[in-house]
Amino acid sequence: MGQNPVPPPALDRASLVSTTEPGTKDVENIRWNLPYEPMSLDPMQSFNYAENTALANMCESLTRLNPDLSTSPGLAQKVEFPDDKTVVFTLRQGVKFWNGNEMKASDVAFSINRQAGPDSPSFFSDYFLNVDKAEVTGDYEVTVKLLRPDALFAQGMASAAGAIVEEKSAKASGEKFGTPQGELQCTGPYQLSKWSSGKSMQLKSFDGYWDQTLPRHVKNLEFSFIADESTAVNALRSGSVDGQYFYLPPAGMEQLKNSDEVDVSYGKSLVFFTLRAASTEGPFADPKVRKALSLVMDRDAMSRVILQGAAIGSGTMASSDYWGGQKDIFAAAEDPNADELNIEKAKKLVAEHGEFDRPIVIALQGSSAVHEQLANVIQAAGKSIGIPIETQVIPVEQFGNIYFDPAAREGLDAFFTSYYGNVPDPLDVYQVFRLSNSSNFGEWDSADKLLNQAMGTMDPEQRAKLTVQAQDLVQEEQPWITISYLPNILVQNSKISGATASFSYLYYPWAATIGGK
């Protein structure tokens, strides 16, 4: 890290934006790059960057996460809570699927019910743990009965968890629904016209779209699947690709920032970069080891040098963009020692752990220079206090399997990941540490009781206070070691503008506001 004498300055949170200047001219075609080819376009199996980037323009949710990270009505024009275990969605009338069929209440009930239950195939299953059933209770009304109060279910309907698909189409396609071999029927401003597996995906503007406030200047949107960072950067600089969202700064970030051919925007975000537990056993399962490793991480230097000044060093998972209407409570609870550097304290914790019977194995994403460079720095930092660390490279196309397939985590202690909650409520981040949560791979249980209490607390202020108590335990035991806050990185060709700049691009129809300058 000392090889770069003048690292880029740290980003200023106040400079982060939500939108870019709306484009005003019609554009026949734009080509947008995805960092890999989506595994599926079925919304319930889409919890990852490439999938959600594409789907945000195709499959709409019951509520909408806006560019400023607020929530507004989506396919449901009203959401009501008659009691703590009942949610009533009043639906928009006249909404059409791409095939011309009207969206019915039965489609909404189907889209919710197929994700509920203990054997749910949904990647968003944690939002549906407390769902008993969704019932049609009117021509344009669906009522969801919960098994117990759940503070996140309705909030989660602004993510792809709340995306509505046509029941008839989904049932007809079966397991092929949302794949190149099957059908996809949604209501969004762009419809899937062609998916050439291994090559590209083509969308076209949907003439029957309901929301006339979105201009849809772009008529045709093509997605390429360039995984190699250097190739993607060169494609952007040459103009053969018109735009891309980056969840980590690519190699060549400075080239993009200094190019006259593209505009780079940094947006408000719910994303953080972390070293995440993958196993209940081994040296990383000891909180003393995790805390020791955290204490020798120079987060500011990592963010300015390895993350090329496109990140902000932070040891806290839930940044201020999560705080919503409870800013005062969370601001007062910020940990002043979250980014502490203390080598002597770290050595003492390692001594208390005792001799290591094997090294910590950390998984890296192939083709990611950031993963490789961070691993090198953390290996050296670990060695300086007596923690042995090895790495294992996993191809980018397979890296997502770590999140959902236990077999993909075998032999791993931890892995680098950029992670996020889907909505601006810190509980949506910390609920990953409930024992019932499918992502708590390390089965860390110290905050389980508090988090379950918070989940059942519908009053926002009381829920925030419980979440703060859980946050304190997370900071103390470091079940995940957070390294930095990651602003959203948007690159657009200088001839176009209007794409959503914030994290909401994963769920908001970002292409519908792009146009020519």
Side-chain angles (χ1 to χ4, degrees), residues 16-20 64-73 158 267-270 320-325 327 422-425 485 488 499-510 513:
L16 303 181
V17 298
S18 299
T19 60
T20 54
R64 180 178 280 175
L65 184 65
N66 300 310
D68 65 358
L69 303 183
S70 66
T71 302
S72 64
K268 295 180 183 296
S269 178
L270 301 180
S320 56
D321 288 330
Y322 276 98
W323 294 350
K327 288 182 171 61
N422 296 294
V423 296
D425 183 333
Y485 165 87
N488 194 49
T500 299
S502 73
F503 164 88
S504 70
Y505 82 92
L506 290 172
Y507 305 123
Y508 181 87
W510 53 267
T513 51

Short mmCIF file of all heavy atoms in Angstrom, two decimals, residues 16-20 64-73 158 267-270 320-325 327 422-425 485 488 499-510 513:
data_model
loop_
_atom_site.label_atom_id
_atom_site.label_comp_id
_atom_site.label_asym_id
_atom_site.label_seq_id
_atom_site.Cartn_x
_atom_site.Cartn_y
_atom_site.Cartn_z
N LEU A 16 -22.40 12.77 -2.36
CA LEU A 16 -23.07 11.65 -3.03
C LEU A 16 -24.44 12.07 -3.53
O LEU A 16 -25.17 12.80 -2.87
CB LEU A 16 -23.18 10.46 -2.08
CG LEU A 16 -21.86 9.95 -1.49
CD1 LEU A 16 -22.11 8.76 -0.58
CD2 LEU A 16 -20.87 9.59 -2.59
N VAL A 17 -24.82 11.57 -4.71
CA VAL A 17 -26.06 12.00 -5.36
C VAL A 17 -27.05 10.85 -5.47
O VAL A 17 -26.71 9.68 -5.25
CB VAL A 17 -25.78 12.59 -6.76
CG1 VAL A 17 -24.90 13.82 -6.64
CG2 VAL A 17 -25.11 11.55 -7.66
N SER A 18 -28.29 11.18 -5.80
CA SER A 18 -29.34 10.18 -5.98
C SER A 18 -29.67 9.96 -7.45
O SER A 18 -30.03 8.86 -7.86
CB SER A 18 -30.61 10.60 -5.24
OG SER A 18 -30.38 10.71 -3.86
N THR A 19 -29.58 11.02 -8.24
CA THR A 19 -29.94 10.96 -9.65
C THR A 19 -28.88 11.66 -10.49
O THR A 19 -28.00 12.34 -9.97
CB THR A 19 -31.30 11.64 -9.91
OG1 THR A 19 -31.20 13.02 -9.50
CG2 THR A 19 -32.41 10.97 -9.12
N THR A 20 -28.99 11.49 -11.80
CA THR A 20 -28.21 12.29 -12.74
C THR A 20 -29.19 13.11 -13.58
O THR A 20 -30.38 12.80 -13.62
CB THR A 20 -27.34 11.41 -13.64
OG1 THR A 20 -28.17 10.42 -14.31
CG2 THR A 20 -26.28 10.69 -12.82
N ARG A 64 -42.28 1.05 -4.26
CA ARG A 64 -41.12 1.45 -5.06
C ARG A 64 -40.08 2.14 -4.20
O ARG A 64 -40.39 3.07 -3.45
CB ARG A 64 -41.60 2.40 -6.18
CG ARG A 64 -40.51 2.89 -7.09
CD ARG A 64 -41.08 3.78 -8.19
NE ARG A 64 -41.67 2.99 -9.26
CZ ARG A 64 -42.33 3.52 -10.30
NH1 ARG A 64 -42.50 4.84 -10.37
NH2 ARG A 64 -42.81 2.74 -11.25
N LEU A 65 -38.84 1.65 -4.30
CA LEU A 65 -37.71 2.30 -3.63
C LEU A 65 -37.17 3.37 -4.57
O LEU A 65 -36.64 3.08 -5.63
CB LEU A 65 -36.61 1.27 -3.31
CG LEU A 65 -35.40 1.80 -2.53
CD1 LEU A 65 -35.82 2.24 -1.12
CD2 LEU A 65 -34.30 0.74 -2.45
N ASN A 66 -37.34 4.62 -4.19
CA ASN A 66 -37.01 5.75 -5.05
C ASN A 66 -35.51 6.07 -5.01
O ASN A 66 -34.80 5.64 -4.10
CB ASN A 66 -37.81 6.97 -4.61
CG ASN A 66 -39.30 6.72 -4.70
OD1 ASN A 66 -39.80 6.26 -5.73
ND2 ASN A 66 -40.02 7.00 -3.63
N PRO A 67 -35.04 6.88 -5.98
CA PRO A 67 -33.61 7.23 -5.99
C PRO A 67 -33.11 7.88 -4.71
O PRO A 67 -31.93 7.71 -4.36
CB PRO A 67 -33.52 8.19 -7.19
CG PRO A 67 -34.58 7.71 -8.12
CD PRO A 67 -35.72 7.30 -7.23
N ASP A 68 -33.96 8.61 -3.99
CA ASP A 68 -33.51 9.22 -2.73
C ASP A 68 -33.63 8.27 -1.56
O ASP A 68 -33.46 8.67 -0.40
CB ASP A 68 -34.29 10.52 -2.46
CG ASP A 68 -35.79 10.28 -2.22
OD1 ASP A 68 -36.23 9.11 -2.31
OD2 ASP A 68 -36.50 11.26 -1.95
N LEU A 69 -33.91 6.99 -1.84
CA LEU A 69 -34.05 5.90 -0.86
C LEU A 69 -35.31 6.02 -0.01
O LEU A 69 -35.44 5.33 1.00
CB LEU A 69 -32.80 5.79 0.03
CG LEU A 69 -31.47 5.58 -0.72
CD1 LEU A 69 -30.32 5.41 0.27
CD2 LEU A 69 -31.55 4.37 -1.65
N SER A 70 -36.24 6.86 -0.42
CA SER A 70 -37.57 6.85 0.19
C SER A 70 -38.41 5.78 -0.51
O SER A 70 -38.01 5.24 -1.54
CB SER A 70 -38.24 8.22 0.04
OG SER A 70 -38.50 8.50 -1.34
N THR A 71 -39.55 5.48 0.06
CA THR A 71 -40.46 4.48 -0.51
C THR A 71 -41.78 5.14 -0.87
O THR A 71 -42.28 5.98 -0.12
CB THR A 71 -40.70 3.33 0.48
OG1 THR A 71 -39.44 2.74 0.83
CG2 THR A 71 -41.57 2.25 -0.13
N SER A 72 -42.34 4.74 -2.01
CA SER A 72 -43.62 5.29 -2.46
C SER A 72 -44.46 4.17 -3.05
O SER A 72 -43.97 3.05 -3.25
CB SER A 72 -43.39 6.40 -3.49
OG SER A 72 -42.77 5.89 -4.65
N PRO A 73 -45.73 4.43 -3.37
CA PRO A 73 -46.56 3.38 -3.97
C PRO A 73 -45.99 2.89 -5.29
O PRO A 73 -45.41 3.65 -6.07
CB PRO A 73 -47.91 4.10 -4.18
CG PRO A 73 -47.94 5.16 -3.15
CD PRO A 73 -46.51 5.64 -3.04
N ALA A 158 -40.67 -3.38 -1.37
CA ALA A 158 -40.07 -2.42 -2.29
C ALA A 158 -38.89 -3.01 -3.04
O ALA A 158 -38.37 -2.41 -3.98
CB ALA A 158 -39.63 -1.17 -1.53
N GLY A 267 -23.12 7.57 -5.97
CA GLY A 267 -24.46 7.71 -5.43
C GLY A 267 -24.62 7.21 -4.01
O GLY A 267 -23.81 6.42 -3.51
N LYS A 268 -25.67 7.68 -3.38
CA LYS A 268 -26.03 7.22 -2.03
C LYS A 268 -26.25 5.71 -2.08
O LYS A 268 -26.73 5.15 -3.05
CB LYS A 268 -27.29 7.92 -1.55
CG LYS A 268 -27.14 9.42 -1.36
CD LYS A 268 -28.44 10.04 -0.88
CE LYS A 268 -28.31 11.55 -0.75
NZ LYS A 268 -27.32 11.93 0.29
N SER A 269 -25.91 5.05 -0.97
CA SER A 269 -25.85 3.59 -1.03
C SER A 269 -26.21 2.94 0.30
O SER A 269 -26.08 3.54 1.37
CB SER A 269 -24.43 3.18 -1.44
OG SER A 269 -24.29 1.77 -1.47
N LEU A 270 -26.64 1.70 0.20
CA LEU A 270 -26.85 0.84 1.38
C LEU A 270 -25.82 -0.28 1.42
O LEU A 270 -25.93 -1.21 2.21
CB LEU A 270 -28.26 0.23 1.34
CG LEU A 270 -29.44 1.21 1.31
CD1 LEU A 270 -30.77 0.44 1.29
CD2 LEU A 270 -29.41 2.16 2.50
N SER A 320 -25.32 5.90 7.67
CA SER A 320 -26.38 6.89 7.90
C SER A 320 -27.47 6.84 6.83
O SER A 320 -28.59 7.31 7.07
CB SER A 320 -25.78 8.30 7.95
OG SER A 320 -25.04 8.58 6.77
N ASP A 321 -27.19 6.28 5.65
CA ASP A 321 -28.23 6.16 4.62
C ASP A 321 -29.34 5.19 5.03
O ASP A 321 -30.41 5.17 4.41
CB ASP A 321 -27.61 5.71 3.30
CG ASP A 321 -26.79 6.80 2.64
OD1 ASP A 321 -27.13 7.98 2.84
OD2 ASP A 321 -25.80 6.48 1.95
N TYR A 322 -29.08 4.38 6.04
CA TYR A 322 -30.08 3.42 6.54
C TYR A 322 -31.03 4.04 7.58
O TYR A 322 -32.06 3.45 7.88
CB TYR A 322 -29.39 2.24 7.22
CG TYR A 322 -28.93 1.14 6.31
CD1 TYR A 322 -27.60 1.08 5.89
CD2 TYR A 322 -29.81 0.15 5.87
CE1 TYR A 322 -27.17 0.06 5.05
CE2 TYR A 322 -29.37 -0.87 5.04
CZ TYR A 322 -28.05 -0.91 4.64
OH TYR A 322 -27.62 -1.91 3.82
N TRP A 323 -30.67 5.16 8.13
CA TRP A 323 -31.30 5.58 9.37
C TRP A 323 -32.74 6.04 9.24
O TRP A 323 -33.49 6.04 10.22
CB TRP A 323 -30.47 6.68 10.03
CG TRP A 323 -29.13 6.22 10.48
CD1 TRP A 323 -28.67 4.93 10.55
CD2 TRP A 323 -28.04 7.04 10.93
NE1 TRP A 323 -27.38 4.88 10.99
CE2 TRP A 323 -26.97 6.17 11.24
CE3 TRP A 323 -27.88 8.41 11.09
CZ2 TRP A 323 -25.74 6.64 11.70
CZ3 TRP A 323 -26.66 8.89 11.56
CH2 TRP A 323 -25.61 8.00 11.86
N GLY A 324 -33.16 6.45 8.06
CA GLY A 324 -34.56 6.82 7.84
C GLY A 324 -35.06 7.87 8.81
O GLY A 324 -34.40 8.88 9.07
N GLY A 325 -36.22 7.60 9.40
CA GLY A 325 -36.83 8.56 10.31
C GLY A 325 -36.31 8.50 11.73
O GLY A 325 -36.78 9.24 12.60
N LYS A 327 -32.99 8.97 12.67
CA LYS A 327 -31.60 9.44 12.58
C LYS A 327 -30.99 9.77 13.95
O LYS A 327 -29.84 9.46 14.23
CB LYS A 327 -31.52 10.66 11.66
CG LYS A 327 -31.71 10.35 10.19
CD LYS A 327 -31.58 11.61 9.35
CE LYS A 327 -31.54 11.30 7.86
NZ LYS A 327 -32.76 10.65 7.39
N ASN A 422 -31.95 -4.31 1.87
CA ASN A 422 -32.68 -3.85 0.69
C ASN A 422 -33.46 -2.57 0.92
O ASN A 422 -33.84 -1.90 -0.05
CB ASN A 422 -33.67 -4.95 0.24
CG ASN A 422 -32.96 -6.20 -0.20
OD1 ASN A 422 -32.25 -6.21 -1.19
ND2 ASN A 422 -33.13 -7.27 0.55
N VAL A 423 -33.68 -2.22 2.18
CA VAL A 423 -34.48 -1.04 2.50
C VAL A 423 -33.79 -0.24 3.60
O VAL A 423 -33.00 -0.79 4.37
CB VAL A 423 -35.91 -1.43 2.94
CG1 VAL A 423 -36.66 -2.10 1.80
CG2 VAL A 423 -35.88 -2.34 4.16
N PRO A 424 -34.07 1.07 3.68
CA PRO A 424 -33.38 1.92 4.67
C PRO A 424 -33.92 1.77 6.09
O PRO A 424 -34.57 2.66 6.62
CB PRO A 424 -33.59 3.33 4.12
CG PRO A 424 -34.84 3.25 3.33
CD PRO A 424 -34.86 1.87 2.74
N ASP A 425 -33.66 0.63 6.69
CA ASP A 425 -33.93 0.35 8.09
C ASP A 425 -32.76 -0.51 8.57
O ASP A 425 -32.56 -1.61 8.03
CB ASP A 425 -35.26 -0.39 8.26
CG ASP A 425 -35.64 -0.64 9.72
OD1 ASP A 425 -34.73 -0.73 10.56
OD2 ASP A 425 -36.84 -0.79 10.00
N TYR A 485 -17.71 1.56 3.59
CA TYR A 485 -18.98 1.94 2.99
C TYR A 485 -18.73 2.12 1.50
O TYR A 485 -17.76 2.76 1.10
CB TYR A 485 -19.47 3.25 3.62
CG TYR A 485 -20.56 3.98 2.89
CD1 TYR A 485 -21.91 3.68 3.11
CD2 TYR A 485 -20.27 5.01 2.00
CE1 TYR A 485 -22.92 4.37 2.46
CE2 TYR A 485 -21.26 5.71 1.35
CZ TYR A 485 -22.59 5.39 1.57
OH TYR A 485 -23.58 6.08 0.92
N ASN A 488 -22.48 3.97 -4.52
CA ASN A 488 -22.80 3.38 -5.81
C ASN A 488 -21.97 4.07 -6.90
O ASN A 488 -21.80 5.28 -6.88
CB ASN A 488 -24.30 3.57 -6.11
CG ASN A 488 -24.76 2.71 -7.26
OD1 ASN A 488 -24.48 1.53 -7.30
ND2 ASN A 488 -25.45 3.31 -8.21
N ALA A 499 -29.67 8.16 -15.77
CA ALA A 499 -29.75 6.91 -14.99
C ALA A 499 -29.73 7.22 -13.50
O ALA A 499 -29.10 8.17 -13.04
CB ALA A 499 -28.57 6.00 -15.34
N THR A 500 -30.46 6.41 -12.75
CA THR A 500 -30.46 6.52 -11.29
C THR A 500 -29.04 6.33 -10.77
O THR A 500 -28.33 5.41 -11.18
CB THR A 500 -31.39 5.45 -10.68
OG1 THR A 500 -32.70 5.66 -11.18
CG2 THR A 500 -31.38 5.50 -9.17
N ALA A 501 -28.60 7.20 -9.87
CA ALA A 501 -27.23 7.13 -9.37
C ALA A 501 -27.11 6.37 -8.06
O ALA A 501 -26.03 5.90 -7.71
CB ALA A 501 -26.67 8.54 -9.19
N SER A 502 -28.21 6.24 -7.32
CA SER A 502 -28.15 5.64 -5.99
C SER A 502 -28.33 4.12 -6.04
O SER A 502 -28.61 3.53 -7.09
CB SER A 502 -29.23 6.25 -5.10
OG SER A 502 -30.51 5.76 -5.48
N PHE A 503 -28.22 3.53 -4.86
CA PHE A 503 -28.41 2.09 -4.68
C PHE A 503 -29.74 1.59 -5.22
O PHE A 503 -29.87 0.42 -5.60
CB PHE A 503 -28.31 1.79 -3.17
CG PHE A 503 -28.85 0.45 -2.77
CD1 PHE A 503 -28.04 -0.67 -2.79
CD2 PHE A 503 -30.16 0.30 -2.35
CE1 PHE A 503 -28.53 -1.92 -2.41
CE2 PHE A 503 -30.66 -0.93 -1.96
CZ PHE A 503 -29.85 -2.04 -2.00
N SER A 504 -30.74 2.47 -5.29
CA SER A 504 -32.08 2.03 -5.68
C SER A 504 -32.13 1.51 -7.11
O SER A 504 -33.16 0.94 -7.52
CB SER A 504 -33.10 3.16 -5.50
OG SER A 504 -32.89 4.18 -6.45
N TYR A 505 -31.05 1.68 -7.90
CA TYR A 505 -31.06 1.13 -9.27
C TYR A 505 -31.35 -0.37 -9.28
O TYR A 505 -31.80 -0.91 -10.29
CB TYR A 505 -29.72 1.42 -9.97
CG TYR A 505 -28.61 0.46 -9.63
CD1 TYR A 505 -28.38 -0.69 -10.39
CD2 TYR A 505 -27.78 0.69 -8.53
CE1 TYR A 505 -27.35 -1.57 -10.06
CE2 TYR A 505 -26.75 -0.18 -8.21
CZ TYR A 505 -26.55 -1.31 -8.98
OH TYR A 505 -25.54 -2.19 -8.66
N LEU A 506 -31.07 -1.05 -8.16
CA LEU A 506 -31.33 -2.49 -8.12
C LEU A 506 -32.82 -2.82 -8.14
O LEU A 506 -33.20 -3.95 -8.47
CB LEU A 506 -30.68 -3.10 -6.87
CG LEU A 506 -29.15 -3.15 -6.87
CD1 LEU A 506 -28.63 -3.59 -5.52
CD2 LEU A 506 -28.64 -4.08 -7.97
N TYR A 507 -33.67 -1.84 -7.80
CA TYR A 507 -35.10 -2.10 -7.72
C TYR A 507 -35.96 -1.03 -8.41
O TYR A 507 -37.17 -1.20 -8.53
CB TYR A 507 -35.53 -2.23 -6.25
CG TYR A 507 -34.73 -3.29 -5.52
CD1 TYR A 507 -34.02 -2.99 -4.36
CD2 TYR A 507 -34.66 -4.60 -6.00
CE1 TYR A 507 -33.27 -3.96 -3.70
CE2 TYR A 507 -33.91 -5.57 -5.35
CZ TYR A 507 -33.22 -5.24 -4.20
OH TYR A 507 -32.47 -6.19 -3.56
N TYR A 508 -35.36 0.06 -8.83
CA TYR A 508 -36.08 1.16 -9.46
C TYR A 508 -35.80 1.12 -10.97
O TYR A 508 -34.69 0.81 -11.39
CB TYR A 508 -35.58 2.49 -8.87
CG TYR A 508 -36.24 3.73 -9.41
CD1 TYR A 508 -37.43 4.20 -8.85
CD2 TYR A 508 -35.70 4.43 -10.48
CE1 TYR A 508 -38.04 5.35 -9.34
CE2 TYR A 508 -36.30 5.57 -10.98
CZ TYR A 508 -37.48 6.02 -10.41
OH TYR A 508 -38.08 7.16 -10.90
N PRO A 509 -36.79 1.46 -11.83
CA PRO A 509 -36.59 1.39 -13.29
C PRO A 509 -35.66 2.47 -13.81
O PRO A 509 -36.08 3.46 -14.42
CB PRO A 509 -38.01 1.53 -13.84
CG PRO A 509 -38.77 2.28 -12.79
CD PRO A 509 -38.19 1.83 -11.48
N TRP A 510 -34.38 2.28 -13.58
CA TRP A 510 -33.36 3.31 -13.83
C TRP A 510 -33.22 3.70 -15.29
O TRP A 510 -32.84 4.83 -15.62
CB TRP A 510 -32.01 2.85 -13.29
CG TRP A 510 -31.58 1.49 -13.77
CD1 TRP A 510 -31.79 0.29 -13.16
CD2 TRP A 510 -30.87 1.19 -14.99
NE1 TRP A 510 -31.26 -0.74 -13.90
CE2 TRP A 510 -30.70 -0.21 -15.03
CE3 TRP A 510 -30.37 1.97 -16.04
CZ2 TRP A 510 -30.05 -0.85 -16.09
CZ3 TRP A 510 -29.73 1.34 -17.10
CH2 TRP A 510 -29.58 -0.06 -17.11
N THR A 513 -35.50 6.72 -17.24
CA THR A 513 -35.24 8.17 -17.17
C THR A 513 -33.99 8.56 -17.97
O THR A 513 -33.60 9.72 -17.95
CB THR A 513 -35.06 8.62 -15.70
OG1 THR A 513 -34.10 7.78 -15.05
CG2 THR A 513 -36.38 8.52 -14.95
#
